[in-house]
Amino acid sequence: MAEVLVLIDHVDGQVKKPTYELLTLAAKLGEPSAVFIGGADAAAGAADAVKAYGAEKVYAIDDAQIKGYLVAPKAEALAQLAGTASPAAILLPSSAENKEVAARLAIKLDSGLITDAVDIDDSGVATQSVFAGNFTVKGKVSKGTPIITVKPNSAAPVEKAGAAAVTPFEVTISDAAKTAQIVASQPRQASGRPELTEAAIVVSGGRGTGGDFSAVEGLADALGAAVGASRAAVDSGWMPHTFQVGQTGKTVSPQLYVANGISGAIQHRAGMQTSKTIVAVNKDEEAPIFELVDFGVVGDLHAVLPAVTDAVKAAKG
Ligand code: FAD
């Protein structure tokens, strides 16, 4: 069976959940092999993590020539690996950086590329949500090695034992790929909450919060969720732009999205309508968000959310 390469998403060797989702999707297409680009000392730990999700091999690419630069060296490294492994497909977790890596890789391999897939079936047909979520498109790469970036939370990770044999892979990065260097990077402020685009649950607030996000944050913390915001909340200065969900903010696709005091404008929907289950709390029963929801509560969020938060805490014991 041909290999399917999955780029491991990690922070300092800590493997992130989208990797497991991609390994699960990769198993539909062939034999999953994970690709770790990072410190040589961290490869064994990463291999341990992906072992439980069916990775038969873990290609370890030392990032000594890669980490101080922007995306070009990563694309070059993956192209060299693809040249040796001849994979049936290459899957990358969707992120701004990985989409650029994928695009450069597609050029180098003279292959087709699909970005932001939300599903892949066993014949390689990828599903995308396009035009602000108004259309669902199914597509298949017909040229070269299919390269597909997949949005976080697109598949439920399925545990399956794999050998996860660490295979060091030497790369030679050209000077041409090292023309853009990272001069400074600022880590995201640690909030203790999951990253918005990767969270399984997102609890968002809009203008209806009146600027008081405490009820939204209280429910988010009880559920272990990320906090999101509408543009109205961001434009009012209540939340930073990094929290904005929508056309000009982040696109999220969690298992559960809870919209509180958000009317459901098309630009907000564009960032959240592929969520698996949508719940809204809004005091206006005519609010357009209710056209979209699986469950809707007509009420004041400042009364409803604390009650739900208490119920969640009680249920968790
Ligand atoms: P509103 O539309 O004012 O809705 C507030 C809701 O809260 C109402 O439905 C009200 O009934 C309810 N409410 C009030 N008080 C309470 C209460 N106590 N309890 C419960 N419910 C209550 N918007 C985004 O969100 N993301 C984007 O990325 C984005 N990009 C945009 C790009 C462009 C080019 C443009 C033109 C607009 C964009 N917008 C975006 C803005 C978008 O059109 C809406 O203006 C915005 O989403 C409205 O935010 P909101 O739902 O919080 O506020």
Side-chain angles (χ1 to χ4, degrees):
M1 206 175 5
E3 283 179 73
V4 177
L5 300 182
V6 169
L7 180 64
I8 294 181
D9 188 11
H10 70 97
V11 175
D12 298 331
Q14 291 292 319
V15 178
K16 294 167 84 185
K17 186 170 151 265
T19 309
Y20 309 135
E21 298 167 9
L22 263 62
L23 287 168
T24 299
L25 290 173
K28 294 186 185 182
L29 307 174
E31 189 175 280
S33 288
V35 183
F36 180 77
I37 301 181
D41 49 341
D48 242 16
V50 297
K51 200 178 179 146
Y53 293 91
E56 290 300 335
K57 237 184 238 172
V58 179
Y59 290 105
I61 299 177
D62 187 345
D63 69 355
Q65 303 177 72
I66 297 173
K67 67 180 168 202
Y69 303 94
L70 293 183
V71 292
K74 222 179 223 181
E76 212 169 89
L78 287 174
Q80 287 171 22
L81 176 59
T84 306
S86 303
I90 304 172
L91 310 186
L92 301 89
S94 267
S95 63
E97 178 180 318
N98 281 347
K99 281 190 270 187
E100 195 180 335
V101 170
R104 288 170 180 266
L105 182 61
I107 300 283
K108 286 178 192 299
L109 300 181
D110 197 19
S111 295
L113 163 68
I114 290 177
T115 54
D116 285 339
V118 292
D119 194 17
I120 306 174
D121 74 11
D122 46 17
S123 60
V125 173
T127 306
Q128 288 167 291
S129 171
V130 299
F131 294 132
N134 285 313
F135 292 91
T136 297
V137 173
K138 288 185 185 286
K140 187 173 178 176
V141 172
S142 55
K143 184 178 182 190
T145 307
I147 300 166
I148 306 174
T149 78
V150 183
K151 280 190 183 181
N153 292 310
S154 292
V158 175
E159 289 199 29
K160 179 173 171 267
V166 178
T167 313
F169 186 79
E170 296 280 333
V171 293
T172 312
I173 305 301
S174 69
D175 287 344
K178 294 182 181 168
T179 47
Q181 214 171 340
I182 297 170
V183 289
S185 64
Q186 201 178 355
R188 195 165 53 93
Q189 269 189 342
S191 67
R193 297 194 183 109
E195 212 278 312
L196 182 54
T197 56
E198 289 165 11
I201 306 176
V202 175
V203 180
S204 285
R207 202 194 307 272
T209 60
D212 178 1
F213 263 66
S214 57
V216 170
E217 291 177 323
L219 178 59
D221 290 341
L223 291 169
V227 171
S230 73
R231 177 157 160 186
V234 170
D235 284 353
S236 304
W238 301 337
M239 295 302 270
H241 182 257
T242 46
F243 286 67
Q244 185 177 316
V245 172
Q247 190 179 322
T248 44
K250 296 203 168 129
T251 304
V252 300
S253 196
Q255 298 295 326
L256 173 64
Y257 187 87
V258 189
N260 304 289
I262 293 176
S263 60
I266 183 74
Q267 296 90 354
H268 188 78
R269 292 179 185 210
M272 46 65 75
Q273 63 189 351
T274 54
S275 305
K276 308 291 177 296
T277 299
I278 299 172
V279 176
V281 179
N282 196 303
K283 67 179 188 189
D284 173 10
E285 65 178 54
E286 303 288 331
I289 191 83
F290 286 129
E291 294 162 13
L292 198 68
V293 299
D294 298 284
F295 303 99
V297 180
V298 179
D300 182 342
L301 69 92
H302 296 295
V304 175
L305 297 192
V308 177
T309 304
D310 287 346
V312 170
K313 285 184 181 160
K316 284 189 169 174

